[in-house]
Amino acid sequence: MAAKLLISCILSLFLTFFFKPSNAAYNVIDLGAKSDGETDSTQAFLKAWAAACSSVKASTIYVPTGRYLIKNIVFRGPCKNKIAIQIKGTIVAPTDYHVIGKTGNWILFVQVDRVSVIGGTLDAQGAGFWACRKSGQNCPVGSRSITFDWASNVMISGLTSINSQLIHLAINSCKNVIVRNVKLIAPDESPNTDGIHIQSSTGVTITGSIMQTGDDCISIGPGTRNLYMSSIKCGPGHGVSIGSLGWGVNEDGVENVTLTNSRFTGSDNGVRIKSWARPSNSFVRNVLFQNIIMKNVQNPILIDQNYCPHNQCPHQASGVKISQVTYRNIQGTSATAEAVTFDCSPGNPCRGIILQDIKLTYMNKAAATSSCKNIGGMSSGVLMPESCLYEG
């Protein structure tokens, strides 16, 4: 009996390892895509997705070297098994910015689970759209380069995105997303080209990534929870920003956010929390910014609860409650004399703010200053500039 059981186990292992069903593989070239950068390959990509999504086996979609012209495209789930999209080449948008700029999204994933996007380059060719925006003409709404809506268990690894019309990578209403080793690049004067925007999502991890943009390197919107960011290189750009929050009265908040072991170079801001000066039930709590290097950053540490771009100022007290925010081991140089600015709400003062081991200089001198309004917390360790926090 024991011998039969042993043979059965060996046979089972043999079948598992040597006769395991292979993954399904779909090459976009085989389905009609052209790698010349001029022929519309949208339908070939959709065919590859339809085949992979309906496969009961785990699937891989291959995009070989070359340039592939893609118009607006939606990869919709749910699918029957996991899908890996392996990109060796470059996916390009049409040069006419109107083509992809009408819908808000260039490449959109909806309700997918266990999808990974690995390698490759996205080039949205956004220069014409930026020029339209700057000229004040009647422009289309513009498109994010790659968006995930209502997705779970997603990985984006080794992807490069350049010249996005708007946000490079948007993560909306998602769970368990890993973003690693991505490069998101647009000129510093390109409007609203945020690197990554996260909103209404839980369990997002961003590591080892480079962001050089015309807006926030990472923007963190309402409903973001359990966000971990590490080894980020930001600049140029507007820094890592929580917000803007508080435009709506019943807006969700942001909590459990960590940024660590990162570097900011020449950015307009470093670590920033911003909210509109108007009534709201929103909040920011349990945030840690630690082990960060600033190099010639205009506002290295900033809380702005009177956020007012383009002179759209509500002139009220922000209802957003900011609490339990820690700044630890932040060093480097400020491009402005005031390196630390806390402009909190008079109606809802910031509480539980902690400064620990801050060393920020201005013009290579210990001459930087700090400013505090409506804030309570505590300070410890080396503090340059001198802390303006009061205990509370």
Side-chain angles (χ1 to χ4, degrees):
M1 185 69 180
K4 288 184 178 180
L5 182 61
L6 178 61
I7 292 171
S8 177
C9 289
I10 292 172
L11 182 59
S12 177
L13 287 170
F14 182 84
L15 291 172
T16 298
F17 286 99
F18 292 94
F19 289 93
K20 184 178 180 180
S22 60
N23 287 4
Y26 306 96
N27 189 318
V28 295
I29 291 284
D30 296 338
L31 295 169
K34 303 296 182 184
S35 61
D36 57 12
E38 297 178 357
T39 306
D40 183 2
S41 296
T42 307
Q43 290 304 313
F45 278 70
L46 286 173
K47 288 178 183 177
W49 177 261
C53 190
S54 62
S55 172
V56 295
K57 300 178 182 178
S59 301
T60 301
I61 297 173
Y62 289 105
V63 182
T65 55
R67 292 173 65 83
Y68 300 86
L69 180 68
I70 298 295
K71 297 178 181 178
N72 303 83
I73 192 166
V74 179
F75 298 118
R76 190 175 298 277
C79 299
K80 293 184 177 180
N81 209 323
K82 61 184 179 181
I83 299 173
I85 303 173
Q86 179 75 56
I87 307 171
K88 296 293 186 180
T90 298
I91 297 174
V92 298
T95 53
D96 180 358
Y97 60 85
H98 291 89
V99 176
I100 70 164
K102 297 175 182 178
T103 65
N105 295 292
W106 176 26
I107 300 169
L108 173 62
F109 291 83
V110 179
Q111 292 183 312
V112 300
D113 184 19
R114 296 181 298 164
V115 166
S116 56
V117 179
I118 304 166
T121 299
L122 306 179
D123 183 358
Q125 304 202 82
F129 176 74
W130 309 328
C132 180
R133 291 278 301 275
K134 290 180 180 179
S135 70
Q137 299 176 30
N138 185 19
C139 308
V141 294
S143 279
R144 308 167 188 88
S145 281
I146 181 168
T147 300
F148 290 84
D149 284 346
W150 302 289
S152 300
N153 306 309
V154 169
M155 182 176 71
I156 303 108
S157 179
L159 178 70
T160 297
S161 172
I162 61 174
N163 302 322
S164 180
Q165 287 189 355
L166 296 173
I167 296 165
H168 289 263
L169 168 60
I171 300 169
N172 301 316
S173 302
C174 294
K175 294 180 180 179
N176 303 327
V177 178
I178 295 173
V179 181
R180 66 186 187 193
N181 303 328
V182 302
K183 295 181 181 178
L184 309 175
I185 299 172
D188 60 355
E189 295 299 320
S190 56
N192 302 117
T193 53
D194 301 62
I196 302 175
H197 178 72
I198 307 120
Q199 187 161 322
S200 301
S201 296
T202 301
V204 176
T205 298
I206 306 169
T207 61
S209 295
I210 297 170
M211 300 172 201
Q212 302 169 356
T213 71
D215 209 305
D216 294 326
C217 291
I218 301 174
S219 61
I220 302 160
T224 300
R225 288 173 171 80
N226 304 333
L227 168 63
Y228 180 83
M229 302 166 284
S230 176
S231 302
I232 305 299
K233 293 181 179 178
C234 171
H238 295 181
V240 172
S241 296
I242 296 177
S244 55
L245 299 177
W247 183 258
V249 172
N250 294 315
E251 185 178 270
D252 201 354
V254 172
E255 61 184 330
N256 304 333
V257 173
T258 296
L259 172 68
T260 187
N261 302 328
S262 296
R263 178 183 292 268
F264 294 77
T265 304
S267 52
D268 290 2
N269 305 286
V271 290
R272 174 171 61 159
I273 301 172
K274 55 181 178 175
S275 71
W276 294 90
R278 56 189 294 160
S280 177
N281 297 322
S282 189
F283 59 85
V284 177
R285 61 191 178 218
N286 299 330
V287 176
L288 173 62
F289 299 117
Q290 72 172 2
N291 303 336
I292 295 170
I293 302 294
M294 304 284 183
K295 184 176 180 181
N296 198 36
V297 173
Q298 290 187 30
N299 300 290
I301 296 175
L302 174 62
I303 295 179
D304 179 7
Q305 292 206 261
N306 289 289
Y307 181 61
C308 178
H310 316 301
N311 295 317
Q312 298 174 0
C313 306
H315 298 296
Q316 301 176 66
S318 175
V320 177
K321 297 176 177 64
I322 299 175
S323 63
Q324 310 306 317
V325 181
T326 299
Y327 303 86
R328 179 184 299 145
N329 189 28
I330 299 178
Q331 304 180 25
T333 56
S334 174
T336 50
E338 191 169 286
V340 178
T341 303
F342 294 131
D343 184 11
C344 295
S345 170
N348 292 280
C350 300
R351 290 286 180 255
I353 309 303
I354 297 174
L355 291 175
Q356 182 178 3
D357 294 323
I358 308 298
K359 188 177 180 181
L360 295 168
T361 62
Y362 172 59
M363 298 181 69
N364 295 319
K365 300 176 181 178
T369 62
S370 62
S371 171
C372 291
K373 294 179 182 178
N374 311 308
I375 186 170
M378 59 183 296
S379 308
S380 64
V382 176
L383 296 169
M384 297 174 56
E386 184 178 346
S387 175
C388 56
L389 286 178
Y390 72 88
E391 295 290 330

